Amino acid sequence: MSVATGRVVGGRYELSTLIGQGGMGQVWTAYDQRLDRRVAVKLLRPDKVAGQEADELRRRFVRECRVTAQVDHPGLVTVHDAGSEGEELFLVMQYVDGADLSDHLAEHDPYPWQWAVAVAAQLCAVLSAVHAVPIVHRDLKPRNVMVKQDGTVTVLDLGVASVMDTDTTRLTHTGSPIGSPAYMAPEQAMGGAVGPYTDLYALGVLLHELLSGDVPFAGSTALGVLHRHLYEPPLPVRRIRPEVPEPLEALVLRLLAKDPQHRPASAQDVYEELSLLLPARGMPTGAPLDPTRPFLRPHAPWPDRARTPAPQPAPAAPVAPDAEKPDVARAVDEVKRLLGEGRITQAVDILGAILPAAAEQHGEHSPVVRTLRKQYAATLMDDGQYRRALPELRRLAEERAAEAGQSDPQSLRFRYEAAQCLEQLGEPAAALAEYRALLPYYENQYVAGDPELAHEVRRRIGHLLLALGDRAAAHDTLVRLLHDTERLRGPGHPLAAEIRRTLEWLGQVRG
């Protein structure tokens, strides 16, 4: 990628200094000519990403940046703008003045354990807000964390980390998992479904590194590192730093549990444990880059943030000039226009506002209201609002099944999408149960047989089994799926190639 100082991106961001470079892009300091402020600009090249279609990556990039922009938290870097220019995608972010955590650790050896607790507590506050969206960061590591001059911690690369991974971690054409092996949870390494529990494992790796000076599992090859993640227990940090409190060591070991179900339940729970170890309140030293400085509890996550939120107040639906009631038809036209322009969040708000009026005018079970509810659920999913989409999809599935039977294809589709929501919400056991309940219907050619969807459900079951640590069952599921895929679609089909890579990787690590 050829980029020069002084180049203007997006018609307003003048590139200044190259501050980072990787296989698929660069990060620059830049100046926003319109608002006269310093920003950070990340330039990405979709064609540099193995195994990803450029158009699909662009679509996901815009969607993930939009979802990321919904997260309002002082510990998360602010996304100012996103777009494309030529072959490049660009992401404009807040410029953070400070040191990345990797450099911060290198400059303070040994790292004070109170500092490690303060950094981890701030990260938990961020993860609690991020997971409530829900978003999984997927690549939490010291290079993606900044310590600002006032000691506050800022997490970077949320939208980019999300767009570089799909709902289940994919393998590249080289057979290597996407992500950073040293910080990668076992389920992520194996291509299993990821969730909030995956970020908690990475937090455990990061905490271990801050306390001991090194990651728990190192090696000369990515394969060797991942093998250790899967099969070796981590060294308790008190064997290296006896002054580390026992509760902190125990927490790190729980975060590093191989089985996601043995890790803490949420970032909120981890925060509460860490809060007991935070320095007592008092006057900060005034020294820059001290991560204990912010702790008068200003960044504590809201305890109820992870619960399913109540529907947000929506703007009033369009009102006809000669009537008091909202004009449903006009609102539907407005929604179509907004969706055509990619303004999904606004479309969601209007649909949520117009549904009660439509139900009053046409009847709760009328075709008009049913169509609006379907659109509402689909738009919520497209907007990444899985917590709000889940009850809507369950209601649609139940109503359709009551009318047309449990094997009705539309009812099954709603259940399938509800299972996808559960997966995105980090509930792998519940998602697995729902997929398993659906599979017989898709495999029964006399009911709602759909070989392609049946294969996709089986793939998701395999990935969820990996996420839950049942590698033997996952292996058997994927082997059978590979045989059926090759028989029905041919050995060159993309799904067959993906399953072979997963099985090959699983076999390599086991070997």
Side-chain angles (χ1 to χ4, degrees):
M1 177 163 49
S2 177
V3 182
T5 299
R7 173 186 160 190
V8 177
V9 176
R12 62 186 283 192
Y13 307 108
E14 182 180 344
L15 302 184
S16 176
T17 306
L18 180 65
I19 56 176
Q21 187 158 350
M24 64 164 293
Q26 298 176 334
V27 181
W28 288 75
T29 60
Y31 292 98
D32 181 346
Q33 295 177 337
R34 187 174 302 168
L35 296 179
D36 190 27
R37 64 178 173 181
R38 182 185 293 152
V39 294
V41 175
K42 174 162 279 195
L43 300 173
L44 304 171
R45 284 289 298 268
D47 55 335
K48 300 294 184 184
V49 183
Q52 294 269 7
E53 293 291 336
D55 289 343
E56 172 67 8
L57 180 59
R58 284 189 172 86
R59 186 190 70 79
R60 284 188 58 81
F61 175 81
V62 172
R63 177 189 177 279
E64 295 293 351
C65 289
R66 188 182 68 246
V67 172
T68 302
Q70 296 176 7
V71 187
D72 181 17
H73 194 278
L76 187 66
V77 68
T78 303
V79 174
H80 295 316
D81 198 2
S84 61
E85 191 167 279
E87 292 297 315
E88 294 172 334
L89 303 172
F90 66 86
L91 177 66
V92 183
M93 301 169 287
Q94 159 196 5
Y95 175 77
V96 180
D97 181 20
D100 76 48
L101 189 56
S102 182
D103 290 340
H104 198 237
L105 172 60
E107 292 166 5
H108 301 87
D109 185 22
Y111 204 75
W113 68 260
Q114 296 90 343
W115 284 24
V117 169
V119 167
Q122 292 189 61
L123 290 175
C124 284
V126 177
L127 289 176
S128 183
V130 167
H131 292 164
V133 172
I135 297 173
V136 181
H137 190 289
R138 294 174 167 90
D139 197 20
L140 185 66
K141 58 186 178 183
R143 290 290 182 195
N144 281 339
V145 176
M146 296 289 292
V147 182
K148 296 167 70 174
Q149 297 295 330
D150 64 358
T152 55
V153 167
T154 302
V155 176
L156 310 177
D157 264 1
L158 180 59
V160 177
S162 298
V163 78
M164 291 311 303
D165 208 354
T166 54
D167 52 352
T168 55
T169 300
R170 303 303 179 103
L171 304 179
T172 67
H173 71 294
T174 61
S176 301
I178 298 170
S180 304
Y183 303 88
M184 190 175 290
E187 67 274 5
Q188 189 176 9
M190 288 290 87
V194 299
Y197 44 83
T198 308
D199 286 342
L200 293 184
Y201 185 92
L203 178 65
V205 176
L206 188 148
L207 246 180
H208 187 286
E209 183 178 7
L210 293 178
L211 293 169
S212 70
D214 200 0
V215 292
F217 306 113
S220 57
T221 66
L223 185 61
V225 172
L226 295 174
H227 187 281
R228 296 187 68 192
H229 276 292
L230 285 161
Y231 298 109
E232 288 189 20
L235 181 69
V237 293
R238 280 168 53 83
R239 296 188 189 176
I240 305 166
R241 298 264 309 272
E243 70 271 23
V244 170
E246 289 184 17
L248 182 55
E249 178 188 74
L251 177 59
V252 173
L253 291 174
R254 284 170 46 228
L255 287 166
L256 292 175
K258 311 298 184 189
D259 185 342
Q261 297 185 91
H262 295 158
R263 295 173 204 155
S266 68
Q268 171 72 31
D269 288 356
V270 179
Y271 181 93
E272 296 305 333
E273 291 193 44
L274 290 168
S275 67
L276 301 175
L277 300 168
L278 287 169
R281 297 188 182 188
M283 290 299 294
T285 64
L289 299 170
D290 177 354
T292 63
R293 189 177 185 276
F295 272 96
L296 299 175
R297 265 182 95 85
H299 295 314
W302 291 99
D304 61 350
R305 185 64 62 86
R307 299 175 191 164
T308 301
Q312 298 298 308
V319 178
D322 56 347
E324 291 296 325
K325 294 182 179 180
D327 186 337
V328 175
R330 186 173 160 212
V332 169
D333 289 341
E334 178 72 359
V335 166
K336 289 179 181 177
R337 182 184 69 80
L338 291 168
L339 291 175
E341 295 175 3
R343 295 161 65 182
I344 296 175
T345 300
Q346 195 171 349
V348 162
D349 289 343
I350 291 179
L351 281 167
I354 199 64
L355 271 169
E360 184 181 345
Q361 290 180 29
H362 300 279
E364 185 68 42
H365 301 289
S366 66
V368 170
V369 172
R370 185 70 56 82
T371 300
L372 284 173
R373 289 199 180 280
K374 290 178 188 176
Q375 183 69 70
Y376 184 47
T379 309
L380 283 169
M381 285 196 71
D382 201 33
D383 201 34
Q385 297 193 47
Y386 301 106
R387 291 188 196 282
R388 294 175 66 185
L390 181 58
E392 296 292 338
L393 290 165
R394 283 175 166 164
R395 176 178 174 178
L396 286 166
E398 289 169 2
E399 290 178 354
R400 182 67 184 176
E403 295 171 359
Q406 294 292 333
S407 59
D408 173 71
Q410 186 62 66
S411 175
L412 295 174
R413 186 71 199 186
F414 292 140
R415 288 178 62 187
Y416 174 74
E417 290 170 353
Q420 288 181 296
C421 288
L422 289 168
E423 203 173 336
Q424 292 286 349
L425 289 167
E427 300 183 30
L432 178 62
E434 186 63 20
Y435 285 132
R436 281 175 162 167
L438 286 170
L439 186 56
Y441 292 105
Y442 288 127
E443 291 185 326
N444 187 343
Q445 59 179 322
Y446 300 105
V447 181
D450 185 337
E452 285 200 16
L453 199 48
H455 284 184
E456 175 61 17
V457 169
R458 289 168 65 188
R459 182 187 73 80
R460 288 180 178 271
I461 287 173
H463 286 297
L464 285 163
L465 286 167
L466 284 173
L468 291 166
D470 194 346
R471 290 191 280 278
H475 180 271
D476 292 345
T477 297
L478 293 173
V479 165
R480 291 196 300 271
L481 177 57
L482 177 61
H483 176 268
D484 292 345
T485 302
E486 290 182 335
R487 179 170 53 85
L488 292 175
R489 306 185 190 181
H493 191 274
L495 178 59
E498 180 194 322
I499 298 167
R500 275 195 300 273
R501 288 194 296 269
T502 304
L503 289 169
E504 179 183 359
W505 185 250
L506 180 56
Q508 281 181 320
V509 174
R510 280 183 160 184

